[in-house]
Every structure is written in structure tokens, then in C-alpha cells.
Amino acid sequence: MRLLLDEMLKKTAKWLRIFGVDTEFIEGKSDNELITHSINNKLIFITKDEELANKCKKQNAACLLLKSEKLTEQLSEIKNSLGLEFKFPEESRCPSCNAKLKTVEKSE
């Protein structure tokens, strides 16, 4: 399962990556560009913006509207609503670029 979070959820996106969830986060795009990207790449779009969530639904994009302002509650909402399993630390991803982390020797 792959996710796309809007600009209001940057910290949430970073934590989802740490917990092993493939999460995209794109800044500086319009609502329509984000929705189109979500549809074209089969991503579930996650937002706190009710108007944006309604736009998603009108365009038949998979979308989840978060209710909470608190990070821990947002992570719980996402996990429970989508039936996710957090796979930390085995499948953690880089909080900055979303790449899968790998174990390396200390010298590397």
C-alpha cells in the first residue's frame, strides 16, 4: 500500500516512513496536481483538508480525511483506517527520501 500525504502532514509522512510505510510527500503542487498524481500512481491520498478530501472523492481518488491534529492520533487513524501494520525497524524507510534502509558496516 502506498500513500500520498498533503503539505499539512509532513511530520506524519516522516513517521510513516520510519514505521516502514511507503509514503510520498510532495510540496508546492496544486490540489488538482496532487489528486492527479495520486490517481495516476495508485496512491491513497491523506489530508486534513475537508475541501480537498471532497475534491478527491469527486474525482474517484482513494482518500482518507484525518480528524486529529495530534501526530500520535493521526498515525493511529491511518493505521486503523487502512489496516496497516507498522514494521519498525525491519522495514523502516528514510524519513527524508522514502528509500528503504539497509544495514551497512560501520566503515561504510
Side-chain angles (χ1 to χ4, degrees):
M1 178 176 308
R2 297 179 58 223
L3 309 178
L4 172 64
L5 278 67
D6 72 11
E7 288 188 34
M8 294 185 285
L9 298 168
K10 185 173 187 173
K11 188 182 282 188
T12 307
K14 286 183 177 191
W15 278 101
L16 285 168
R17 290 172 175 176
I18 289 168
F19 288 130
V21 180
D22 188 352
T23 305
E24 286 193 36
F25 176 80
I26 303 171
E27 294 180 286
K29 298 290 183 184
S30 71
D31 290 354
N32 287 333
E33 288 174 315
L34 290 171
I35 294 168
T36 299
H37 181 76
S38 174
I39 293 168
N40 290 343
N41 293 283
K42 296 177 176 55
L43 304 170
I44 298 173
F45 191 75
I46 300 177
T47 183
K48 293 188 310 184
D49 183 334
E50 192 169 348
E51 184 179 324
L52 180 52
N54 288 332
K55 285 182 185 179
C56 283
K57 290 176 186 172
K58 287 179 184 175
Q59 295 186 40
N60 293 318
C63 183
L64 175 62
L65 176 64
L66 297 180
K67 296 176 176 79
S68 180
E69 295 293 324
K70 295 180 180 180
L71 174 64
T72 55
E73 291 174 5
Q74 289 172 354
L75 292 169
S76 181
E77 273 185 76
I78 294 167
K79 184 179 180 189
N80 294 332
S81 295
L82 302 178
L84 292 177
E85 181 181 336
F86 290 163
K87 297 177 180 177
F88 174 82
E90 301 81 20
E91 294 187 28
S92 288
R93 294 175 164 272
C94 173
S96 296
C97 73
N98 196 38
K100 287 186 178 182
L101 299 180
K102 63 180 181 177
T103 304
V104 296
E105 295 299 319
K106 185 176 181 179
S107 61
E108 292 183 63

